[in-house]
Amino acid sequence: MDILSLIVNGLNQSAILLIAALGLIVIYGYMNVINMAHGSMIMVGAFVGFVLIDSFNFNFGFALISVFVICALLGIVLEKVIIKKLYSKPTETILATYAISLIFVEIARMNYPISQSMPMPIQGYIEIGNVIIPRYNIFVISFAIFLVVLSLFLFNKTTFGKKLRAINQNRAMAECLGINTASVDTITFAYGSGLAGIAGCVIAPSTGVYYDMGASYLTESFMTVVVGGLQSFIGVVLSSTIIAQGKILLASQSSETWAKIIVFLIIIVIIRIKPEGLFTKERR
Amino acid sequence: MKFKKLASLFVAAAMSLSMVACSSSSSSEEETIKIGILFSETGSTAVVEKTMTNATIMAFDEINAAGGINGVMIEYVYEDYASDPATATEKIKKLIQQDEVVATVGCYTSASRQATLATLEEENSLLVYPTYTEGEEVHPNVIYVGCMPNQQATDYIPWILENVGTKVFLIGSDYVFPQTCNSQAAELIEMYGGEVVGEEYVDLDQTDFSTIIAKIEESGADVIYSSIVGDSNTSFYKDFQQYGLDVEEVPICSIAVDESNLQAIGEEYAEGHYASMPYFSSLDTEASIEFVEKYNELYDDGTVVTVLTESAYSSAYLLAAALEKVEDPTDTDALIDAFAGVEFDAPQGLIQVDEENHCTWVYSRFAQIVDGEFDIIYSSDEALRPEPWPSLLYPEYAETNFMPDWDDPLCYPQ
């Protein structure tokens, strides 16, 4: 089989995994909230996108931006009403976010019991040699890169990012220095939620939109983030590439099932040897 | 604080009590025949099962409106097994012991059906099972109304080889139903002079088919025979086109795609592919049109009529027909005997429970997907005989109604 086309396909899968995991780096990595609602937020993003495109005739690009805004607003509400009360209580957070995800999934199921189709915004494919690349994949890959660059910029180059990292290193001290930790928390959670929503909207054209679509992305996102290193965008870029390329290359040599088994084994080995993930910044 | 916790506990308890109370339906002073309905309202397969519940209730209401069974009304008791086999075991016990139903229409997955077998046998009760299934199981206390793999494949595969292509790539979801169906398909393909050029199985929630598509391309296949089940079909049909395969050159012939998948796949991606089922809601007969219209009128809940809807509806009617033949509905042995040869003029056509092997004679149909609808291109003249152990793979059972002896432990998982 043509190795080059496998690698190109693998890039697309890596990009999808990366987009799905980005929101989780923010919420889990930076805020230490074990967010079980991440998958359902992806699903919500997909449904919001679907409704905007299907019922309100939004074009795809505009729908993406709107999904980000709507999911971020939803994130603000969730953070203010529920998550805020539960910082430093991980068990309760797991329960609460799991409950949130159940509520979202059931609401979606009530309204759309069967899977819906999101039209493919960019159709067709280009052929380079004998490598076939769907045009939409090119968009997905570029969009993933854009989101990573945007997040890196936001977290490393802006005042907001500095505050966030300060809080992350020492919350009490940051508070003493006059940083409004509550508002930074809210914005961070909103940004993570918005990213998750966008992920759903980007995934939806190729998978369809259905109420339990978030479940598989939840596990995969956690895996990617843990392997990559909790707070490292670059680490997660690397881990999503390893996981997706590994799966595709192994599947081409054996079967899809074996590929998954072997990739999971590799992940276990990585976590065993480097429990902190591939890329972790030194901490004092 | 303590009070709050207590109050919330109390509310939760009250809610669960009221749910239990809701689960039994219309009851009356008169004598009725109690029948159980056992499908899921919640959990992963709830969506599919909702349409089966709807159709079963619709059938029983119709039968009651037409005067019941020999003048006695049917009283149905619905239980939700929450897509969970272990719960199915509990609920079938409850239906039989507490509600004293004479029989139950229900179960969707093979796992849930098998979870009820021990109880059915112990209590000597009856389950009418509507789903199409992989066969290789007959239980004395179960009537199988859905089609067996042989009924989907025996007419379909020769037609595919003659009209679509001879180099076949087999693909399916990774569990027993697709694998059994595909191994039968492989036999038929070889028998009719075709060639299997590849075989792959994927997870139920697979969303990336790029590697599979590459393998299909490399194999030189000119037709794909698919038993991929559920939502991963959406990604499969979309990736098919996205990665440059052409429906004219290598169309997908599915045995597990129905109306509920079509909407999700999207018209342009489904166009031109084929599917095989005993029934499509686009079937242009009076009975079928009436059935679909009535269903859509009664249930505006986002569900669509599929082969499973039709099969659940037929299951209820077959049960009623068998009940009419017995003097005492609670005599399970007599009821099971009464099923032999029982007929129903279903939306798909005249179907009949086999005299011997507890499975049902159903039609073979296949359709091409045109403008988002199943355009039926073949209907068998009459219902085909079910072969739970297909004669192709098990020639030794061809003389014994396509099954081992009833007391053979091979008949069902013990």
Side-chain angles (χ1 to χ4, degrees), chain A residues 1-2 5-6 9-10 12-13 106 109-110 112-120 122-125 132-137 204-208 210-212 216-217 247-249 251-257 260, chain B residues 41-47 174 200-203 205-212 214-215 217-218 231-232 234-236 238-239 241-245 259-269 301-304:
Chain A
M1 211 175 299
D2 191 354
S5 73
L6 287 176
N9 295 344
N12 177 53
Q13 284 307 307
E106 290 307 307
R109 195 166 68 88
M110 272 194 287
Y112 296 98
I114 62 178
S115 178
Q116 304 292 319
S117 168
M118 175 104 115
M120 188 61 80
I122 308 167
Q123 303 200 345
Y125 53 87
I132 288 173
I133 313 169
R135 286 174 201 274
Y136 188 65
N137 289 8
S206 40
T207 61
Y210 48 100
Y211 61 90
D212 61 352
S216 60
Y217 291 106
K247 249 189 222 171
I248 289 230
L249 292 174
S252 73
Q253 298 309 314
S254 56
S255 70
E256 300 280 340
T257 315
K260 280 192 183 159
Chain B
E41 190 92 357
T42 50
S44 59
T45 55
V47 176
D174 206 357
E200 286 288 332
Y201 293 92
V202 298
D203 263 10
D205 60 356
Q206 184 93 8
T207 51
D208 167 44
F209 284 87
S210 59
T211 315
I212 298 275
K215 283 184 181 176
E217 253 179 349
E218 207 188 39
D231 284 333
S232 61
T234 310
S235 303
F236 179 44
K238 282 195 162 173
D239 275 356
Q241 202 166 343
Q242 286 287 96
Y243 286 98
L245 288 186
E259 289 80 356
S260 66
N261 301 113
L262 276 195
Q263 196 176 342
I265 295 168
E267 258 180 47
E268 54 198 299
Y269 294 96
D301 56 1
T303 58
V304 291

Side-chain angles (χ1 to χ4, degrees), chain B residues 81-97:
Chain B
Y81 73 89
S83 312
D84 172 38
T87 311
T89 312
E90 291 309 309
K91 294 289 168 120
I92 193 90
K93 259 190 201 141
K94 186 247 167 196
L95 284 171
I96 298 170
Q97 293 174 347

Side-chain angles (χ1 to χ4, degrees), chain A residues 74-88:
Chain A
L74 186 59
I76 291 178
V77 174
L78 285 180
E79 202 273 344
K80 291 234 180 243
V81 178
I82 301 168
I83 310 289
K84 198 178 186 172
K85 326 270 185 206
L86 300 172
Y87 288 126
S88 75

Side-chain angles (χ1 to χ4, degrees), chain B residues 76-356:
Chain B
Y76 50 80
V77 186
Y78 174 73
E79 280 297 335
D80 171 11
Y81 73 89
S83 312
D84 172 38
T87 311
T89 312
E90 291 309 309
K91 294 289 168 120
I92 193 90
K93 259 190 201 141
K94 186 247 167 196
L95 284 171
I96 298 170
Q97 293 174 347
Q98 227 169 297
D99 300 314
E100 300 180 328
V101 299
V102 300
T104 303
V105 175
C107 292
Y108 168 60
T109 56
S110 289
S112 65
R113 179 195 67 239
Q114 289 179 346
T116 64
L117 294 182
T119 312
L120 289 168
E121 190 168 328
E122 218 169 274
E123 303 280 341
N124 193 25
S125 188
L126 174 70
L127 175 74
V128 186
Y129 177 67
T131 317
Y132 53 90
T133 181
E134 67 275 4
E136 303 192 12
E137 173 196 304
V138 285
H139 191 281
N141 296 76
V142 181
I143 300 293
Y144 303 80
V145 180
C147 75
M148 293 286 146
N150 79 295
Q151 292 161 312
Q152 254 181 319
T154 36
D155 289 0
Y156 195 33
I157 284 176
W159 181 87
I160 291 172
L161 295 176
E162 196 168 309
N163 298 285
V164 185
T166 52
K167 283 182 260 173
V168 189
F169 196 100
L170 296 175
I171 178 165
S173 302
D174 206 357
Y175 72 100
V176 60
F177 165 75
Q179 288 183 352
T180 312
C181 291
N182 281 6
S183 70
Q184 280 193 39
E187 288 287 324
L188 280 163
I189 289 162
E190 202 175 298
M191 202 169 102
Y192 286 99
E195 184 192 350
V196 175
V197 294
E199 187 168 358
E200 286 288 332
Y201 293 92
V202 298
D203 263 10
L204 275 166
D205 60 356
Q206 184 93 8
T207 51
D208 167 44
F209 284 87
S210 59
T211 315
I212 298 275
I213 303 282
K215 283 184 181 176
I216 292 171
E217 253 179 349
E218 207 188 39
S219 72
D222 49 18
V223 57
I224 302 164
Y225 190 81
S226 161
S227 47
I228 292 180
V229 171
D231 284 333
S232 61
N233 271 307
T234 310
S235 303
F236 179 44
Y237 283 72
K238 282 195 162 173
D239 275 356
F240 176 95
Q241 202 166 343
Q242 286 287 96
Y243 286 98
L245 288 186
D246 187 353
V247 62
E248 298 289 329
E249 281 162 25
V250 46
I252 304 166
C253 296
S254 171
I255 54 162
V257 161
D258 64 26
E259 289 80 356
S260 66
N261 301 113
L262 276 195
Q263 196 176 342
I265 295 168
E267 258 180 47
E268 54 198 299
Y269 294 96
E271 187 75 15
H273 296 293
Y274 300 92
S276 166
M277 283 289 174
Y279 174 75
F280 294 101
S281 65
S282 59
L283 180 64
D284 196 14
T285 62
E286 212 174 297
S288 165
I289 294 170
E290 209 174 283
F291 172 66
V292 176
E293 269 175 11
K294 178 152 188 208
Y295 181 92
N296 288 336
E297 215 170 273
L298 281 175
Y299 304 105
D300 182 22
D301 56 1
T303 58
V304 291
V305 173
T306 70
V307 64
L308 293 167
T309 323
E310 196 264 358
S311 188
Y313 181 78
S314 304
S315 301
Y317 266 101
L318 286 171
L319 174 59
L323 280 168
E324 256 169 37
K325 284 165 63 180
V326 294
E327 273 173 31
D328 175 14
T330 58
D331 182 354
T332 308
D333 293 328
L335 181 60
I336 292 172
D337 288 342
F339 260 100
V342 97
E343 289 182 343
F344 171 56
D345 204 356
Q348 64 169 287
L350 187 69
I351 62 171
Q352 181 194 17
V353 178
D354 191 78
E355 297 276 357
E356 307 290 342

Side-chain angles (χ1 to χ4, degrees), chain A residues 72-171:
Chain A
L73 289 175
L74 186 59
I76 291 178
V77 174
L78 285 180
E79 202 273 344
K80 291 234 180 243
V81 178
I82 301 168
I83 310 289
K84 198 178 186 172
K85 326 270 185 206
L86 300 172
Y87 288 126
S88 75
K89 291 184 194 158
T91 333
E92 282 86 342
T93 317
I94 294 177
L95 277 178
T97 51
Y98 183 61
I100 293 168
S101 83
L102 286 181
I103 292 169
F104 284 170
V105 169
E106 290 307 307
I107 291 174
R109 195 166 68 88
M110 272 194 287
N111 291 293
Y112 296 98
I114 62 178
S115 178
Q116 304 292 319
S117 168
M118 175 104 115
M120 188 61 80
I122 308 167
Q123 303 200 345
Y125 53 87
I126 54 170
E127 239 176 312
I128 305 172
N130 44 12
V131 181
I132 288 173
I133 313 169
R135 286 174 201 274
Y136 188 65
N137 289 8
I138 300 173
F139 164 76
V140 172
I141 295 166
S142 340
F143 192 64
I145 297 169
F146 164 74
L147 286 180
V148 172
V149 172
L150 179 76
S151 305
L152 278 174
F153 176 77
L154 191 66
F155 281 56
N156 292 317
K157 299 286 175 202
T158 62
T159 328
F160 167 76
K162 280 191 190 131
K163 284 183 188 167
L164 174 62
R165 281 179 294 139
I167 293 172
N168 193 252
Q169 280 180 3
N170 192 331
R171 182 172 283 267

